[in-house]
Amino acid sequence: MIKRSLHGKRADEVFLSALRIKQRVKSLADKISRDYAGKEVLIVSVLKGSVVFFSDLIRRLKINCGVDFISVSSYKGAESSGEIRFLADLKESPEGKNILLVEDIIDSGCTLDYLKKNLLARKASTVRVCVLLDKKTARKADIKVDYKGFTIPDKFVVGYGLDYNEQYRGLPYIGILKT
Ligand code: IMP
Ligand code: MG
Protein backbone atom coordinates (compact mmCIF):
# COMPACT_ATOMS: atom_id res chain seq x y z
CA MET A 1 0.00 0.00 0.00
CA ILE A 2 1.34 3.42 -0.97
CA LYS A 3 1.54 5.79 1.94
CA ARG A 4 2.38 9.43 1.55
CA SER A 5 3.37 11.83 4.23
CA LEU A 6 2.73 15.52 3.62
CA HIS A 7 3.70 18.47 5.80
CA GLY A 8 3.94 16.33 8.88
CA LYS A 9 0.31 15.19 8.64
CA ARG A 10 -0.31 11.59 7.75
CA ALA A 11 -3.31 9.74 6.45
CA ASP A 12 -1.77 6.44 7.36
CA GLU A 13 -4.81 4.61 8.64
CA VAL A 14 -6.25 2.98 5.53
CA PHE A 15 -9.97 3.17 6.15
CA LEU A 16 -11.23 2.11 2.72
CA SER A 17 -8.76 0.40 0.42
CA ALA A 18 -8.53 1.10 -3.31
CA LEU A 19 -9.92 -2.39 -3.95
CA ARG A 20 -12.96 -1.94 -1.70
CA ILE A 21 -13.70 1.40 -3.32
CA LYS A 22 -13.38 -0.10 -6.81
CA GLN A 23 -15.80 -2.91 -6.02
CA ARG A 24 -18.35 -0.55 -4.49
CA VAL A 25 -18.11 1.92 -7.39
CA LYS A 26 -18.83 -0.94 -9.80
CA SER A 27 -21.98 -1.99 -7.94
CA LEU A 28 -23.17 1.63 -7.70
CA ALA A 29 -22.60 2.07 -11.45
CA ASP A 30 -24.57 -1.10 -12.17
CA LYS A 31 -27.51 0.15 -10.11
CA ILE A 32 -27.43 3.61 -11.70
CA SER A 33 -27.25 2.02 -15.16
CA ARG A 34 -30.32 -0.08 -14.41
CA ASP A 35 -32.30 2.83 -12.95
CA TYR A 36 -31.57 5.22 -15.81
CA ALA A 37 -31.78 2.71 -18.65
CA GLY A 38 -33.54 4.29 -21.63
CA LYS A 39 -33.48 7.77 -20.04
CA GLU A 40 -31.32 10.76 -20.73
CA VAL A 41 -29.25 11.77 -17.77
CA LEU A 42 -26.77 14.50 -17.02
CA ILE A 43 -24.19 13.36 -14.48
CA VAL A 44 -22.87 16.32 -12.54
CA SER A 45 -19.65 16.24 -10.57
CA VAL A 46 -19.64 18.54 -7.57
CA LEU A 47 -16.11 19.93 -7.68
CA LYS A 48 -13.53 19.34 -6.57
CA GLY A 49 -13.79 16.47 -4.13
CA SER A 50 -15.87 14.18 -6.34
CA VAL A 51 -13.63 14.16 -9.44
CA VAL A 52 -11.86 10.90 -8.69
CA PHE A 53 -15.06 9.07 -7.74
CA PHE A 54 -16.89 10.68 -10.68
CA SER A 55 -14.28 9.64 -13.26
CA ASP A 56 -14.26 6.05 -11.99
CA LEU A 57 -18.06 5.95 -11.83
CA ILE A 58 -18.80 7.26 -15.34
CA ARG A 59 -16.37 4.75 -16.87
CA ARG A 60 -18.39 1.94 -15.28
CA LEU A 61 -21.81 3.17 -16.44
CA LYS A 62 -23.52 1.23 -19.18
CA ILE A 63 -25.72 4.14 -20.29
CA ASN A 64 -25.17 7.18 -22.44
CA CYS A 65 -24.95 10.25 -20.30
CA GLY A 66 -23.88 13.84 -20.49
CA VAL A 67 -21.37 15.11 -17.97
CA ASP A 68 -20.98 18.50 -16.40
CA PHE A 69 -19.43 20.17 -13.38
CA ILE A 70 -20.63 22.46 -10.65
CA SER A 71 -18.61 24.08 -7.95
CA VAL A 72 -19.62 25.28 -4.53
CA SER A 73 -17.58 25.90 -1.49
CA SER A 74 -18.63 25.35 2.09
CA TYR A 75 -15.58 24.18 3.97
CA LYS A 76 -12.45 25.68 5.39
CA GLY A 77 -10.07 23.06 6.87
CA ALA A 78 -11.87 20.45 8.91
CA GLU A 79 -14.58 22.87 10.08
CA SER A 80 -17.65 23.81 8.10
CA SER A 81 -17.99 27.53 7.57
CA GLY A 82 -21.73 26.89 7.34
CA GLU A 83 -22.14 29.11 4.31
CA ILE A 84 -22.33 27.94 0.71
CA ARG A 85 -20.80 29.91 -2.13
CA PHE A 86 -21.49 29.23 -5.80
CA LEU A 87 -18.12 29.14 -7.58
CA ALA A 88 -19.03 27.75 -11.00
CA ASP A 89 -22.32 26.78 -12.62
CA LEU A 90 -23.32 24.16 -15.18
CA LYS A 91 -22.47 24.94 -18.77
CA GLU A 92 -26.09 24.61 -19.89
CA SER A 93 -29.41 25.26 -18.21
CA PRO A 94 -30.68 22.38 -16.01
CA GLU A 95 -34.23 22.94 -17.28
CA GLY A 96 -35.96 19.73 -18.34
CA LYS A 97 -32.99 17.51 -17.49
CA ASN A 98 -32.64 14.39 -15.34
CA ILE A 99 -29.68 15.29 -13.17
CA LEU A 100 -27.58 12.99 -11.04
CA LEU A 101 -25.42 14.94 -8.61
CA VAL A 102 -22.21 13.12 -7.71
CA GLU A 103 -20.51 14.12 -4.45
CA ASP A 104 -17.56 12.73 -2.56
CA ILE A 105 -19.15 12.93 0.86
CA ILE A 106 -22.33 14.10 2.54
CA ASP A 107 -21.81 15.52 6.00
CA SER A 108 -24.27 18.16 7.22
CA GLY A 109 -26.10 17.74 3.91
CA CYS A 110 -26.27 21.52 3.45
CA THR A 111 -24.28 21.53 0.18
CA LEU A 112 -26.39 18.91 -1.56
CA ASP A 113 -29.63 20.29 -0.13
CA TYR A 114 -28.74 23.72 -1.50
CA LEU A 115 -27.74 22.33 -4.91
CA LYS A 116 -30.78 20.11 -5.26
CA LYS A 117 -33.18 22.94 -4.39
CA ASN A 118 -31.31 25.30 -6.71
CA LEU A 119 -31.52 22.89 -9.67
CA LEU A 120 -35.19 22.11 -9.08
CA ALA A 121 -35.94 25.83 -8.83
CA ARG A 122 -34.34 26.15 -12.25
CA LYS A 123 -36.78 23.50 -13.51
CA ALA A 124 -34.63 20.38 -13.68
CA SER A 125 -37.03 17.45 -14.28
CA THR A 126 -35.46 15.21 -11.66
CA VAL A 127 -32.51 15.58 -9.33
CA ARG A 128 -30.99 12.56 -7.62
CA VAL A 129 -27.98 12.38 -5.38
CA CYS A 130 -25.06 9.92 -5.44
CA VAL A 131 -22.40 10.07 -2.73
CA LEU A 132 -19.42 7.88 -2.12
CA LEU A 133 -19.41 8.49 1.64
CA ASP A 134 -22.20 9.29 4.07
CA LYS A 135 -21.45 10.72 7.53
CA LYS A 136 -24.97 10.10 8.74
CA THR A 137 -24.54 11.28 12.31
CA ALA A 138 -23.55 14.81 11.22
CA ARG A 139 -26.66 15.50 9.16
CA LYS A 140 -28.45 18.85 9.52
CA ALA A 141 -30.43 19.06 6.28
CA ASP A 142 -33.16 16.57 5.49
CA ILE A 143 -32.03 15.28 2.12
CA LYS A 144 -32.54 11.91 0.46
CA VAL A 145 -29.40 10.10 -0.66
CA ASP A 146 -30.38 8.00 -3.68
CA TYR A 147 -27.06 6.20 -4.18
CA LYS A 148 -24.49 5.70 -1.47
CA GLY A 149 -21.11 3.98 -1.40
CA PHE A 150 -20.33 3.67 2.31
CA THR A 151 -21.70 4.95 5.60
CA ILE A 152 -18.78 6.17 7.71
CA PRO A 153 -18.31 7.45 11.27
CA ASP A 154 -18.02 11.19 11.99
CA LYS A 155 -14.25 11.35 11.39
CA PHE A 156 -12.37 13.56 8.95
CA VAL A 157 -11.32 11.48 5.94
CA VAL A 158 -8.97 12.24 3.05
CA GLY A 159 -7.85 10.64 -0.20
CA TYR A 160 -9.58 9.46 -3.40
CA GLY A 161 -10.44 13.09 -4.16
CA LEU A 162 -11.12 14.23 -0.62
CA ASP A 163 -8.82 16.89 0.77
CA TYR A 164 -7.68 18.62 3.89
CA ASN A 165 -6.81 22.18 2.81
CA GLU A 166 -6.21 20.90 -0.74
CA GLN A 167 -3.86 18.12 0.33
CA TYR A 168 -4.22 14.33 -0.07
CA ARG A 169 -6.66 14.34 -3.00
CA GLY A 170 -4.35 12.01 -4.97
CA LEU A 171 -4.19 9.20 -2.40
CA PRO A 172 -5.58 6.04 -4.06
CA TYR A 173 -7.34 4.99 -0.83
CA ILE A 174 -9.40 6.77 1.84
CA GLY A 175 -7.70 7.34 5.15
CA ILE A 176 -8.62 8.96 8.43
CA LEU A 177 -6.63 12.17 8.88
CA LYS A 178 -4.04 12.06 11.63
CA THR A 179 -2.69 15.37 12.86
P1 IMP B 1 -21.91 19.20 3.85
O1 IMP B 1 -22.50 20.44 3.20
O2 IMP B 1 -21.68 19.40 5.31
O3 IMP B 1 -22.68 17.94 3.56
O4 IMP B 1 -20.46 19.11 3.28
C1 IMP B 1 -20.06 18.35 2.27
C2 IMP B 1 -18.68 18.79 1.83
O5 IMP B 1 -17.81 18.99 2.93
C3 IMP B 1 -18.03 17.71 1.02
O6 IMP B 1 -18.27 17.85 -0.34
C4 IMP B 1 -16.57 17.86 1.35
O7 IMP B 1 -15.99 18.78 0.45
C5 IMP B 1 -16.54 18.43 2.72
N1 IMP B 1 -16.27 17.40 3.75
C6 IMP B 1 -17.11 16.95 4.71
N2 IMP B 1 -16.54 16.00 5.46
C7 IMP B 1 -15.31 15.83 4.94
C8 IMP B 1 -14.22 14.95 5.28
O8 IMP B 1 -14.26 14.12 6.21
N3 IMP B 1 -13.11 15.05 4.51
C9 IMP B 1 -13.00 15.93 3.47
N4 IMP B 1 -13.99 16.77 3.12
C10 IMP B 1 -15.12 16.71 3.85
MG1 MG C 1 -17.11 18.26 -1.87
Side-chain angles (χ1 to χ4, degrees), residues 46-50 74-75 77-78 80 84 103-113 133 135 138-140 152 155-158 162-164 169:
V46 184
L47 294 172
K48 296 181 227 173
S50 77
S74 67
Y75 263 72
S80 172
I84 292 155
E103 244 299 37
D104 50 359
I105 185 165
I106 180 166
D107 186 11
S108 71
C110 296
T111 307
L112 282 168
D113 187 51
L133 306 173
K135 273 191 201 173
R139 194 80 83 255
K140 286 183 197 145
I152 65 162
K155 297 241 165 75
F156 202 82
V157 289
V158 292
L162 291 127
D163 75 308
Y164 173 76
R169 290 196 198 274

Side-chain angles (χ1 to χ4, degrees), residues 74-87:
S74 67
Y75 263 72
K76 287 218 160 45
E79 287 288 312
S80 172
S81 65
E83 135 201 349
I84 292 155
R85 277 195 304 144
F86 227 101
L87 302 178

Side-chain angles (χ1 to χ4, degrees), residues 76-128:
K76 287 218 160 45
E79 287 288 312
S80 172
S81 65
E83 135 201 349
I84 292 155
R85 277 195 304 144
F86 227 101
L87 302 178
D89 199 0
L90 299 174
K91 205 163 174 209
E92 287 175 21
S93 163
E95 185 169 354
K97 299 199 169 110
N98 294 311
I99 293 179
L100 179 62
L101 283 170
V102 177
E103 244 299 37
D104 50 359
I105 185 165
I106 180 166
D107 186 11
S108 71
C110 296
T111 307
L112 282 168
D113 187 51
Y114 172 85
L115 279 176
K116 188 171 176 176
K117 284 179 177 149
N118 178 286
L119 293 169
L120 287 170
R122 290 192 285 159
K123 301 197 172 71
S125 294
T126 63
V127 181
R128 285 189 192 162

Side-chain angles (χ1 to χ4, degrees), residues 23 27 29 41-42 47 52 57-58 62-64 67 92-93 101-102 111 113 120 122 127 136 145 150 152 157 172 175:
Q23 290 165 338
S27 65
V41 57
L42 180 68
L47 294 172
V52 179
L57 185 74
I58 59 172
K62 299 181 188 91
I63 48 170
N64 285 323
V67 299
E92 287 175 21
S93 163
L101 283 170
V102 177
T111 307
D113 187 51
L120 287 170
R122 290 192 285 159
V127 181
K136 230 178 185 158
V145 176
F150 304 93
I152 65 162
V157 289

